[in-house]
Amino acid sequence: MVEIIKTTLKLLFRNKGFWFFIIITPVLSTFILKVKQENISAYEDTGKNEIVELDGVDSKVAYYGGNGRYTLKVYDASESELSKYLLNKLLESGAFTVCRVKVPDMTKKDIEAHLHTDGYDDRMGAAIYLERDFSDKIIDGDVKEALSIYILSDDERQKLLENEIKMCAGQIRNAVNLAGSEDVVKTLDGMNKLLPKKSVKSIAANNHSELTDEQRDKKTLLGYAFAILTLGFVFCGIYVSHTAIKEQKDMVLTRIKLTNLTNGQYFASKFICGAVVSVMLTFIMGICTVLFGEKNMGISLPVFLLMIFLMGLIFCAISLLFGILLGNVMSANVAAFTIWSMSALLAGLYFPLDHTTKAVKALSYMMPQKWFFEATEMIMTKDSKVYFMLLCITVAYLIVTLSLGSVGIKYKNYE
């Protein structure tokens, strides 16, 4: 068994492709961690606290409709203080994302013609057109003539939208009755100052932690780094499996079996080589992080390296398993790329999957990176359960992989 390990490592160290992945992927990951990307998480909050100003009538509002928001596209031909007041009141209700495009030269018919395009090429809850003389008509109490509402979804929050507009129109009428039509905006501002101030506090849902914007930014960058490191672990594991494939084809494995070495021991020897590879890649990542990396990653360097090492053990074992089962170098390489791309995608390393279907979420939790990605959040919030979770996840994946690997070698020998 020791000789198998020595021979496998010698073959690995002679392979240029192996050295490419074991050096390049830590370097790339380090530079990703150095990226000074601020407010990555701020995109999630766009449109919550201010009106989104669009560049033109063809600008899409679907980008601002995440997390189940009811998105409004407002065609503002008035561009008055009262039109801005109405939109701010809709925004303050907390139920809508308001996207405004200024259209002083477009009529109601022009907007209605353009809505046919918006209905097919964009996604929104409703569209609103504010007339050029919106201020005069809303002051007179003629709401139907002041604006037009176009419902473009079957969301029942359209009733809330209509009620909010009626309420705002009523406030404007009260201000007119109190101070006349010339000081409406000042009167409305004075009335609003008398209202209780609203404060919003984020509360974490069950089994979730609440991160700051800075922590979410760092977690996102760690996810990108995990994706690159996964590429290195997967292909380094495949290079280990290449030695096993060659030994099968050259009948070396048959001669090894004559020494009474079991299938489990043979697979374990290859897995130990994968563990050595994981140690090497983790060590190189540690050196790169110390020399060139970002010191403040949101988690300590020893914990970061521990997570990398454990994740490397899992993926080296998985790559070795697929390589032995496929029994072909080219097929193993294709499988490695597929494993890396799909697992990183489904684990949510590139973008969050919180609002996807239950089936996708179930697949996500089958990916090893998902657990390590979630672990970074637990570490940032100082959750003491994280280390036990990482240990259990690693052991579970390794038990399944090593068991299947032993059975796979036995099956290949039988063939």
Side-chain angles (χ1 to χ4, degrees), residues 188-201:
L188 288 170
D189 291 338
M191 293 169 60
N192 288 331
K193 290 179 180 179
L194 299 176
L195 297 175
K197 297 297 181 182
K198 180 179 70 173
S199 61
V200 179
K201 184 176 180 180

Side-chain angles (χ1 to χ4, degrees), residues 4-221:
I4 296 175
I5 296 172
K6 290 181 179 179
T7 304
T8 302
L9 291 177
K10 286 180 181 178
L11 292 173
L12 281 177
F13 295 159
R14 294 172 185 171
N15 193 314
K16 295 180 181 178
F18 168 78
W19 286 108
F20 173 83
F21 283 103
I22 208 168
I23 293 175
I24 294 299
T25 51
V27 172
L28 288 177
S29 300
T30 303
F31 282 110
I32 286 176
L33 292 175
K34 281 179 64 66
V35 173
K36 297 296 182 182
Q37 180 70 51
E38 297 181 355
N39 298 323
I40 295 175
S41 59
Y43 290 105
E44 299 178 7
D45 299 325
T46 304
K48 282 187 177 180
N49 303 315
E50 60 183 10
I51 298 170
V52 179
E53 298 290 350
L54 302 177
D55 296 331
V57 291
D58 294 323
S59 298
K60 307 298 182 186
V61 301
Y63 307 116
Y64 308 99
N67 299 342
R69 300 181 198 171
Y70 192 89
T71 309
L72 303 176
K73 186 172 184 179
V74 181
Y75 299 92
D76 189 0
S78 174
E79 300 183 42
S80 62
E81 290 294 325
L82 281 180
S83 70
K84 187 176 181 180
Y85 174 80
L86 170 66
L87 301 185
N88 280 322
K89 293 301 289 184
L90 292 175
L91 186 67
E92 289 173 8
S93 68
F96 312 106
T97 297
V98 180
C99 303
R100 178 174 70 168
V101 54
K102 297 177 181 179
V103 288
D105 299 326
M106 295 185 71
T107 64
K108 184 177 179 180
K109 289 184 178 180
D110 296 332
I111 296 302
E112 289 177 349
H114 189 270
L115 282 174
H116 289 288
T117 303
D118 281 345
Y120 287 104
D121 297 342
D122 205 354
R123 185 176 181 180
M124 66 192 77
I128 301 175
Y129 173 68
L130 304 180
E131 299 281 352
R132 288 193 183 92
D133 53 353
F134 168 82
S135 297
D136 296 334
K137 291 181 178 179
I138 200 74
I139 287 174
D140 294 337
D142 196 351
V143 181
K144 292 183 179 180
E145 293 296 326
L147 57 88
S148 301
I149 303 174
Y150 304 92
I151 304 300
L152 299 175
S153 71
D154 56 358
D155 195 316
E156 293 189 1
R157 282 176 289 183
Q158 58 181 293
K159 298 178 182 178
L160 178 61
L161 171 63
E162 294 171 355
N163 291 334
E164 287 290 337
I165 292 176
K166 289 179 182 178
M167 187 180 300
C168 184
Q171 291 174 350
I172 294 173
R173 286 297 303 162
N174 290 336
V176 172
N177 293 334
L178 288 173
S181 59
E182 294 182 358
D183 298 323
V184 177
V185 177
K186 292 182 179 179
T187 306
L188 288 170
D189 291 338
M191 293 169 60
N192 288 331
K193 290 179 180 179
L194 299 176
L195 297 175
K197 297 297 181 182
K198 180 179 70 173
S199 61
V200 179
K201 184 176 180 180
S202 298
I203 300 176
N206 292 336
N207 301 322
H208 286 277
S209 312
E210 185 64 26
L211 301 178
T212 64
D213 286 346
E214 183 181 2
Q215 287 176 326
R216 281 190 285 175
D217 292 342
K218 291 174 180 176
K219 180 186 174 184
T220 302
L221 291 176

Side-chain angles (χ1 to χ4, degrees), residues 297-313:
M297 298 182 293
I299 60 178
S300 65
L301 180 59
V303 173
F304 176 61
L305 296 179
L306 174 64
M307 294 173 64
I308 292 173
F309 172 69
L310 295 177
M311 189 169 62
L313 287 179

Side-chain angles (χ1 to χ4, degrees), residues 251-261:
M251 303 299 290
V252 175
L253 181 58
T254 303
R255 293 194 293 271
I256 291 175
K257 292 286 289 180
L258 296 176
T259 64
N260 295 325
L261 189 74

